[in-house]
Every structure is written in structure tokens, then in C-alpha cells.
Amino acid sequence: MDSKTGRKHLIGLLAAALCAAVVTTFSHAQTATAEQTGSASAQTADINPSDNVEAPTEEAGAESSPQVSPSSDSQPPESKTVRDQVGVFNIDVLVERMKQTDAIGVISKLSLKNKVDDLLEQANKIKTAEPDTDFSQAKLELRENFEGLILKTVALLNKGEDFALAEDIYLAREELWKSIMENKA
Amino acid sequence: MNRLIAITVGLLASVNIMAVTPAEDIAATINLNGYACGNKASNIKETTDANGNKTITASCPDGRKYTIKITNKGRVSVKPM
């Protein structure tokens, strides 16, 4: 009788501990995502003041739209997208999110990093070349390689079900391209 | 009790369900390097030499075999066998 009760208690405790661990894991993940999104939008405000010019107009529209209740159903997704577009422009945050995502395996991440390094090397060759050299074809190739890499990354993230990061990277591709072209040798 | 164990295992599995398996990771790496390799690789064998360079051999669903080399500097290369 005692041993049965003891066993039941033990099983109950184990189940409770496991449930607590699961809940903690999920809440940590949610908190981390919220923090990243928050810090992304906060830091972006400093980095890209020019990009924020459009955002307040859209957000102002989104703020005023809830008063118009019948048409407000379509408004919130639009305003969320705009917020995301503003938020993703911080490249350091995107890089950190890429490092932490579980959607891509370690070897794939390493391979992607190699490809980014190759792109940067290619870009540096163009930038450090003599001014009179015609690099229009090389720039075109570089852009094609860059677009290919973005699509591969987005495909991998979508496959791994990290849709938020996939969308953010796709939206931030022009910023990423600028950062590649501005990166000093 | 069996039901409790099943629920516990299910909960644990749901926590780890998002992680990429080595078979998927290797297939993705092969795909990234320009070779078609479906979703999962199989017959994965991994060796590491004294310098820390890693060599992985794997088969794709179409039967083709590939060698993935990862140098100690983090350079990844894929070659068909």
C-alpha cells in the first residue's frame, strides 16, 4: 500500500517536473523571440532613420483604422508587415537569429557562412579594383549569387519551419546587399 | 501508468520536434553545394583526422554517394564519390 502510494507520488512528481520543463522551454523561446523583435525594432530606429519615414505614416494609418471597425480586419496584418520591414533592417540581429535558429543544421550553417564569405571576397575584389576597370559583369554575377544565396537560405528556413526569420531575411535582402557592397576590404 | 509514460514521451518529443536531424543537415548541405539530395541522407559515416579535419560520407535517396569535407578552419566542401 505504502510502496504503491509512494510510486504514484513519484510518477506524479516526475510528470509535473517534465511539464514544468516543457512550459519553461516554450516560454523561454517566446521571450527570446519577443526580445529579439523588440531589440530589432528599437535598434533599427537608430540605424535607419530614413527607413522610418514611411513607417509612421503606415502605423498612423493602422492606429486610426481600429476606429473604423468594419474594414479593420484587413488592416492589422498590413501594419504588422510594416513593423517587420522596419524591424528586420538590423543585420546584427538577423545574424544572431540565424546563429540561434534550429531550422538549419550546424553543417548547413557552416556551408552558408562559407558562401557569405565567398560573396564578401568577390565584393571586395570589385571594390578594391582600379576605378577604370569595368566590373559591370562581375557585379551582375555577384548580385545573382547573392539572390541565389538568399533564396536558398529562405528555402532552408521555411523547410525548418522558421517562417518569421525566412520572411525577415527576404524583406531585408536589399539592406543585406547594401551591407555587402559597403563592407570594407 | 502506460498512458502517463506515453504522454510524457509525447511531450518530450514535441519539445525536440523542431531540431534538424544529422541526416537532414547533411542532405541540406549537399543541396546547398549544388547537388540534388532530397530531404534525408543515409549511411552516414564520419571520421576526424588528427588535425581536426572532418570527413563525412553519405548516400542520397537517389543512391548517389557524396563526401563532405569540413576543414579545421570551418571550410565545407562537397564532392560526389
PDB file of all heavy atoms in Angstrom, chain A residues 56-69:
ATOM      1  N   PRO A  56       5.946  55.516 -39.825  1.00  0.00           N
ATOM      2  CA  PRO A  56       4.946  56.224 -39.026  1.00  0.00           C
ATOM      3  C   PRO A  56       3.654  56.483 -39.802  1.00  0.00           C
ATOM      4  O   PRO A  56       2.582  56.417 -39.227  1.00  0.00           O
ATOM      5  CB  PRO A  56       5.630  57.548 -38.677  1.00  0.00           C
ATOM      6  CG  PRO A  56       7.076  57.246 -38.743  1.00  0.00           C
ATOM      7  CD  PRO A  56       7.197  56.254 -39.852  1.00  0.00           C
ATOM      8  N   THR A  57       3.787  56.751 -41.110  1.00  0.00           N
ATOM      9  CA  THR A  57       2.592  57.010 -41.908  1.00  0.00           C
ATOM     10  C   THR A  57       1.710  55.777 -41.912  1.00  0.00           C
ATOM     11  O   THR A  57       0.509  55.869 -41.717  1.00  0.00           O
ATOM     12  CB  THR A  57       3.001  57.321 -43.375  1.00  0.00           C
ATOM     13  OG1 THR A  57       4.308  57.820 -43.387  1.00  0.00           O
ATOM     14  CG2 THR A  57       2.046  58.312 -43.976  1.00  0.00           C
ATOM     15  N   GLU A  58       2.339  54.613 -42.122  1.00  0.00           N
ATOM     16  CA  GLU A  58       1.580  53.366 -42.156  1.00  0.00           C
ATOM     17  C   GLU A  58       0.998  53.060 -40.777  1.00  0.00           C
ATOM     18  O   GLU A  58      -0.137  52.639 -40.649  1.00  0.00           O
ATOM     19  CB  GLU A  58       2.489  52.209 -42.592  1.00  0.00           C
ATOM     20  CG  GLU A  58       2.961  52.288 -44.029  1.00  0.00           C
ATOM     21  CD  GLU A  58       1.833  51.996 -44.997  1.00  0.00           C
ATOM     22  OE1 GLU A  58       0.941  51.220 -44.644  1.00  0.00           O
ATOM     23  OE2 GLU A  58       1.839  52.560 -46.092  1.00  0.00           O
ATOM     24  N   GLU A  59       1.855  53.264 -39.767  1.00  0.00           N
ATOM     25  CA  GLU A  59       1.406  52.953 -38.413  1.00  0.00           C
ATOM     26  C   GLU A  59       0.314  53.910 -37.959  1.00  0.00           C
ATOM     27  O   GLU A  59      -0.597  53.532 -37.242  1.00  0.00           O
ATOM     28  CB  GLU A  59       2.586  52.994 -37.444  1.00  0.00           C
ATOM     29  CG  GLU A  59       3.422  51.727 -37.549  1.00  0.00           C
ATOM     30  CD  GLU A  59       4.587  51.739 -36.611  1.00  0.00           C
ATOM     31  OE1 GLU A  59       4.782  52.731 -35.911  1.00  0.00           O
ATOM     32  OE2 GLU A  59       5.296  50.733 -36.594  1.00  0.00           O
ATOM     33  N   ALA A  60       0.450  55.164 -38.413  1.00  0.00           N
ATOM     34  CA  ALA A  60      -0.591  56.128 -38.084  1.00  0.00           C
ATOM     35  C   ALA A  60      -1.905  55.687 -38.705  1.00  0.00           C
ATOM     36  O   ALA A  60      -2.959  55.770 -38.088  1.00  0.00           O
ATOM     37  CB  ALA A  60      -0.200  57.511 -38.601  1.00  0.00           C
ATOM     38  N   GLY A  61      -1.811  55.175 -39.923  1.00  0.00           N
ATOM     39  CA  GLY A  61      -2.992  54.646 -40.594  1.00  0.00           C
ATOM     40  C   GLY A  61      -3.554  53.463 -39.851  1.00  0.00           C
ATOM     41  O   GLY A  61      -4.770  53.322 -39.700  1.00  0.00           O
ATOM     42  N   ALA A  62      -2.635  52.622 -39.362  1.00  0.00           N
ATOM     43  CA  ALA A  62      -3.070  51.440 -38.613  1.00  0.00           C
ATOM     44  C   ALA A  62      -3.701  51.829 -37.287  1.00  0.00           C
ATOM     45  O   ALA A  62      -4.620  51.181 -36.805  1.00  0.00           O
ATOM     46  CB  ALA A  62      -1.873  50.526 -38.372  1.00  0.00           C
ATOM     47  N   GLU A  63      -3.159  52.917 -36.691  1.00  0.00           N
ATOM     48  CA  GLU A  63      -3.712  53.356 -35.413  1.00  0.00           C
ATOM     49  C   GLU A  63      -5.118  53.922 -35.581  1.00  0.00           C
ATOM     50  O   GLU A  63      -5.986  53.734 -34.749  1.00  0.00           O
ATOM     51  CB  GLU A  63      -2.801  54.424 -34.794  1.00  0.00           C
ATOM     52  CG  GLU A  63      -1.606  53.818 -34.060  1.00  0.00           C
ATOM     53  CD  GLU A  63      -0.612  54.871 -33.657  1.00  0.00           C
ATOM     54  OE1 GLU A  63      -0.972  56.059 -33.647  1.00  0.00           O
ATOM     55  OE2 GLU A  63       0.519  54.494 -33.375  1.00  0.00           O
ATOM     56  N   SER A  64      -5.290  54.627 -36.692  1.00  0.00           N
ATOM     57  CA  SER A  64      -6.601  55.239 -36.892  1.00  0.00           C
ATOM     58  C   SER A  64      -7.614  54.209 -37.380  1.00  0.00           C
ATOM     59  O   SER A  64      -8.800  54.383 -37.189  1.00  0.00           O
ATOM     60  CB  SER A  64      -6.504  56.387 -37.890  1.00  0.00           C
ATOM     61  OG  SER A  64      -6.051  55.889 -39.125  1.00  0.00           O
ATOM     62  N   SER A  65      -7.123  53.140 -38.000  1.00  0.00           N
ATOM     63  CA  SER A  65      -8.037  52.158 -38.578  1.00  0.00           C
ATOM     64  C   SER A  65      -8.907  51.405 -37.575  1.00  0.00           C
ATOM     65  O   SER A  65     -10.040  51.091 -37.922  1.00  0.00           O
ATOM     66  CB  SER A  65      -7.270  51.165 -39.447  1.00  0.00           C
ATOM     67  OG  SER A  65      -6.401  50.413 -38.651  1.00  0.00           O
ATOM     68  N   PRO A  66      -8.400  51.092 -36.351  1.00  0.00           N
ATOM     69  CA  PRO A  66      -9.276  50.359 -35.439  1.00  0.00           C
ATOM     70  C   PRO A  66     -10.599  51.057 -35.149  1.00  0.00           C
ATOM     71  O   PRO A  66     -11.578  50.417 -34.818  1.00  0.00           O
ATOM     72  CB  PRO A  66      -8.446  50.239 -34.160  1.00  0.00           C
ATOM     73  CG  PRO A  66      -7.050  50.277 -34.622  1.00  0.00           C
ATOM     74  CD  PRO A  66      -7.067  51.218 -35.787  1.00  0.00           C
ATOM     75  N   GLN A  67     -10.638  52.382 -35.301  1.00  0.00           N
ATOM     76  CA  GLN A  67     -11.906  53.087 -35.072  1.00  0.00           C
ATOM     77  C   GLN A  67     -12.923  52.738 -36.150  1.00  0.00           C
ATOM     78  O   GLN A  67     -14.112  52.717 -35.909  1.00  0.00           O
ATOM     79  CB  GLN A  67     -11.641  54.596 -35.066  1.00  0.00           C
ATOM     80  CG  GLN A  67     -10.796  55.006 -33.857  1.00  0.00           C
ATOM     81  CD  GLN A  67     -10.368  56.442 -33.939  1.00  0.00           C
ATOM     82  OE1 GLN A  67     -10.619  57.121 -34.916  1.00  0.00           O
ATOM     83  NE2 GLN A  67      -9.706  56.912 -32.891  1.00  0.00           N
ATOM     84  N   VAL A  68     -12.400  52.462 -37.359  1.00  0.00           N
ATOM     85  CA  VAL A  68     -13.289  52.050 -38.440  1.00  0.00           C
ATOM     86  C   VAL A  68     -13.378  50.539 -38.366  1.00  0.00           C
ATOM     87  O   VAL A  68     -12.583  49.815 -38.957  1.00  0.00           O
ATOM     88  CB  VAL A  68     -12.738  52.497 -39.813  1.00  0.00           C
ATOM     89  CG1 VAL A  68     -13.769  52.237 -40.904  1.00  0.00           C
ATOM     90  CG2 VAL A  68     -12.332  53.949 -39.782  1.00  0.00           C
ATOM     91  N   SER A  69     -14.309  50.045 -37.587  1.00  0.00           N
ATOM     92  CA  SER A  69     -14.328  48.626 -37.276  1.00  0.00           C
ATOM     93  C   SER A  69     -14.617  47.697 -38.448  1.00  0.00           C
ATOM     94  O   SER A  69     -14.002  46.648 -38.541  1.00  0.00           O
ATOM     95  CB  SER A  69     -15.304  48.353 -36.132  1.00  0.00           C
ATOM     96  OG  SER A  69     -16.556  48.897 -36.448  1.00  0.00           O
TER      97      SER A  69
END
